[in-house]
């Protein structure tokens, strides 16, 4: 245990919690940047655009307002993101069969291929990095830590 692990800082957060938050943020930022480089998405799509493509891939058709709410951005920001994705030929908009006043956003075939290709490249790079640079015990530690992080992302009741 490090000195200060149980000491509260001015916000009532332990030193270890503050350190874990900072270290995790920095590591995830670096990892995200490296994964984008490996997948070749660093130059032509923004992180917001990649996030929307991934969301559409996982969840299927959605409205622009639904995407904005899920991503936690203003509708105007989502409109700009969708316009750029449409310009790249990665999404399409079609009338909602249940409500003709709304449009549903879906991936095009090119968009689906892009998401799958980049996902596969990222996963292969990361698996290879774990294999080449980590021991089995370290990989197991990461698996256990991911369970903790998953718990942090669940909504509180």
């Amino acid at each position: 245990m490090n000195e200060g692990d149980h000491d509260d800082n001015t916000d009532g957060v332990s030193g270890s919690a503050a350190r874990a938050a900072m270290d995790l943020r920095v590591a995830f930022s670096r990892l995200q940047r490296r994964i984008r480089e490996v997948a070749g998405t660093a130059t032509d799509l923004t992180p917001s655009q990649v996030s929307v493509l991934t969301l559409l891939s996982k969840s299927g058709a959605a409205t622009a307002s639904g995407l904005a709410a899920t991503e936690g951005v203003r509708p105007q920001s989502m409109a700009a993101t969708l316009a750029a994705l449409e310009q790249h030929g990665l999404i399409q908009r079609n009338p909602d069969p249940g409500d003709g006043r709304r449009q549903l956003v879906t991936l095009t075939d090119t968009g689906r291929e892009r998401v799958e290709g980049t996902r596969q490249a990222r996963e292969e790079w990361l698996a290879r990095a774990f294999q080449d640079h980590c021991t089995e015990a370290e990989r197991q530690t990461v698996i256990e830590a991911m369970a903790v992080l998953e718990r942090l992302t669940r909504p509180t009741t």
Side-chain angles (χ1 to χ4, degrees):
M1 190 175 322
N2 293 330
E3 184 178 319
D5 278 351
H6 293 293
D7 294 337
D8 284 347
N9 68 20
T10 58
D11 295 330
V13 175
S14 70
S16 63
R19 169 85 187 265
M22 180 186 70
D23 289 354
L24 183 63
R25 183 186 53 76
V26 170
F28 273 7
S29 177
R30 288 179 183 153
L31 181 61
Q32 188 176 40
R33 200 168 34 251
R34 181 69 178 113
I35 286 174
R36 277 197 307 263
E37 290 170 4
V38 167
T41 58
T43 56
D44 62 343
L45 294 179
T46 67
S48 297
Q49 292 165 353
V50 171
S51 182
V52 169
L53 289 178
T54 303
L55 182 59
L56 289 170
S57 173
K58 290 179 181 177
S59 303
T63 62
S65 60
L67 289 168
T70 301
E71 292 289 294
V73 299
R74 296 185 336 257
Q76 298 87 341
S77 297
M78 183 55 63
T81 298
L82 293 176
L85 291 172
E86 196 167 29
Q87 190 172 30
H88 283 288
L90 301 173
I91 63 160
Q92 61 188 12
R93 303 179 212 216
N94 296 303
D96 182 341
D99 182 350
R101 297 169 295 178
R102 296 187 322 171
Q103 288 189 326
L104 291 178
V105 179
T106 57
L107 292 175
T108 61
D109 289 342
T110 302
R112 273 188 288 287
E113 290 169 10
R114 175 70 176 264
V115 170
E116 186 53 39
T118 57
R119 180 181 299 135
Q120 185 175 352
R122 291 187 312 251
E123 288 175 6
E124 287 173 2
W125 173 82
L126 195 51
R128 178 54 52 198
F130 275 122
Q131 184 66 40
D132 293 348
H133 302 287
C134 299
T135 65
E136 181 61 29
E138 289 170 329
R139 291 189 294 268
Q140 290 301 320
T141 298
V142 170
I143 291 168
E144 292 167 13
M146 293 311 299
V148 172
L149 294 174
E150 177 65 26
R151 194 171 72 231
L152 289 176
T153 64
R154 290 188 200 130
T156 57
T157 54

